[in-house]
Amino acid sequence: MTTHRLSLEELAGADKQERMNIFRRYFAASRYNRLLIQQALVRSAQDGALVSKVREMERAHDKDFIDTVKALKKNEYFEEFLVAVKEEDGALVKIIEAYDKRMNRS
């Protein structure tokens, strides 16, 4: 999995627009990691040993997000992060809607 840890030092050295780009990269890495987790899950049908890897990947992914939110709540960037959260949520809604349309056509 790819980790894109948010660095408070990196955020401090960036202007508001660059911080939004940093948050966008964080969410892009998160979506990428979810795809890797899904791939490992699918492959676990052929290789049962992957089940524990899937669990570990999910745990690490979730922990990273929870830790990120906790760290950002303790500093001045949390409100900006929430703007990025809303943007990401909107993007996810569009992706889900596209899948819903494709799945309902079948």
Side-chain angles (χ1 to χ4, degrees):
M1 279 193 338
T2 300
T3 56
H4 184 75
R5 289 219 164 237
L6 288 178
S7 160
L8 295 179
E9 293 79 20
E10 181 182 15
L11 293 172
D15 65 19
K16 188 174 183 174
Q17 185 58 45
E18 181 57 26
R19 283 192 296 274
M20 284 300 293
N21 288 334
I22 292 167
F23 295 143
R24 288 178 184 123
R25 285 191 301 270
Y26 173 79
F27 284 120
S30 177
R31 283 187 310 253
Y32 176 75
N33 287 338
R34 293 300 313 167
L35 288 171
L36 293 175
I37 293 166
Q38 179 68 16
Q39 182 183 48
L41 178 64
V42 168
R43 289 178 176 176
S44 75
Q46 294 176 307
D47 181 357
L50 288 174
V51 173
S52 62
K53 180 179 180 182
V54 169
R55 287 187 184 116
E56 176 55 29
M57 292 169 75
E58 287 176 334
R59 188 204 63 73
H61 182 265
D62 294 349
K63 182 180 182 326
D64 175 67
F65 183 78
I66 291 165
D67 290 348
T68 297
V69 170
K70 284 180 185 177
L72 290 173
K73 280 184 175 180
K74 294 178 183 177
N75 68 59
E76 63 200 74
Y77 308 116
F78 188 64
E79 292 302 317
E80 291 177 14
F81 182 71
L82 289 179
V83 172
V85 165
K86 289 178 185 174
E87 182 180 283
E88 178 66 10
D89 187 51
L92 292 171
V93 165
K94 289 179 183 178
I95 293 167
I96 291 167
E97 287 173 349
Y99 272 93
D100 284 343
K101 286 179 185 175
R102 279 187 234 147
M103 293 174 70
N104 288 330
R105 282 191 220 161
S106 302

